[in-house]
């Protein structure tokens, strides 16, 4: 309803980045916090600029690949920001922090990520996501666990930190998943989150 703050932040992202003004981002956490916050803001901006499509699945190619957004004076897609910059930084917890504004995404935090608290904030997002029933569903009688498709999309990232998806999830879950359980995936909901 009031885009002023978002437009101002997107303009700042457009002129400042770790690649352009490295002295402003002296640590890996400072860079990663910038990129996570930039991704989330640019995704929201992209939704608004795209006319608020009800289902991103129908416009995925345009939304993630063709629409170019500006970071520090350089044009890039959301796909490139995530896959060529954020993921290579090596922390799979980012997948519980990045939000493309659809219902299947992790919860969008009310506050931006901060470099000085990033590890704690990423731990909290991983714990929240992996303990939420909509993202992890354990069926003990069938010895099956159903994960959000986020864990399917980025399996390789998670398996760099644990021997299985269940083992990775168990690092953050209150109720542990037996690693012998069969793994299935919950279909991703690409419906725009109207909230």
């Amino acid at each position: 309803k009031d885009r002023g703050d978002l437009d101002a932040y997107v303009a700042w992202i457009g002129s400042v980045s770790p690649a352009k003004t490295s002295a402003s981002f002296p640590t890996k956490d400072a860079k990663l916090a910038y990129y996570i916050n930039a991704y989330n803001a640019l995704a929201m901006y992209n939704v608004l600029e795209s006319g608020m499509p009800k289902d991103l699945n129908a416009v995925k190619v345009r939304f993630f690949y063709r629409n170019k957004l500006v970071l520090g004076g350089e044009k890039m897609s959301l796909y490139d920001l995530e896959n060529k910059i954020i993921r290579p930084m090596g922390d799979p917890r980012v997948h519980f922090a990045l939000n493309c504004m659809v219902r299947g995404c992790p919860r969008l935090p009310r506050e931006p990520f901060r470099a000085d608290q990033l590890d704690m904030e990423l731990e909290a997002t991983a714990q929240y996501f992996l303990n939420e029933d909509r993202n992890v569903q354990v069926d003990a009688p069938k010895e099956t666990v159903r994960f959000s498709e986020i864990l399917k999309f980025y399996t390789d990232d998670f398996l760099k930190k644990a021997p299985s998806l269940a083992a990775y999830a168990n690092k953050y879950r209150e109720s542990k998943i037996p690693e012998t359980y069969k793994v299935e995936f919950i279909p991703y909901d690409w419906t725009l989150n109207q909230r």
Side-chain angles (χ1 to χ4, degrees), residues 55-73:
D55 182 355
L56 274 193
N57 202 32
V59 295
K60 233 191 302 192
V61 171
R62 178 171 46 107
F63 187 84
F64 290 105
Y65 298 89
R66 288 191 193 144
N67 290 357
K68 302 295 184 189
L69 305 154
V70 182
L71 277 86

Side-chain angles (χ1 to χ4, degrees), residues 110-143:
R110 294 184 180 271
E111 300 290 326
F113 289 92
R114 294 178 38 171
D116 62 341
Q117 298 178 17
L118 187 62
D119 185 63
M120 181 180 70
E121 291 169 344
L122 289 176
E123 280 291 297
T125 61
Q127 288 170 357
Y128 185 87
F129 186 91
L130 292 167
N131 284 285
E132 191 177 22
D133 288 340
R134 74 181 184 108
N135 301 316
V136 180
Q137 299 166 356
V138 178
D139 187 338
K142 292 184 179 177
E143 297 186 0

Side-chain angles (χ1 to χ4, degrees), residues 14 67-78 80-81:
N67 290 357
K68 302 295 184 189
L69 305 154
V70 182
L71 277 86
E74 180 184 347
K75 288 185 177 183
M76 73 175 55
S77 67
L78 286 173
D80 287 344
L81 175 55

Side-chain angles (χ1 to χ4, degrees), residues 6 9 32 35 41 53 64 105 110 129 136 143 152 155 169 179 184 188:
L6 177 62
Y9 186 62
L32 188 54
Y35 287 124
F64 290 105
C105 286
R110 294 184 180 271
F129 186 91
V136 180
E143 297 186 0
K152 180 180 182 182
T155 297
E179 292 191 41
E184 296 177 351
Y188 205 69

Side-chain angles (χ1 to χ4, degrees), residues 12-13 15-26 31 34-35 72:
W12 179 79
I13 292 167
S15 62
V16 175
S17 75
K20 184 175 182 181
T21 51
S22 59
S24 299
F25 304 93
K31 292 175 181 72
Y34 166 89
Y35 287 124

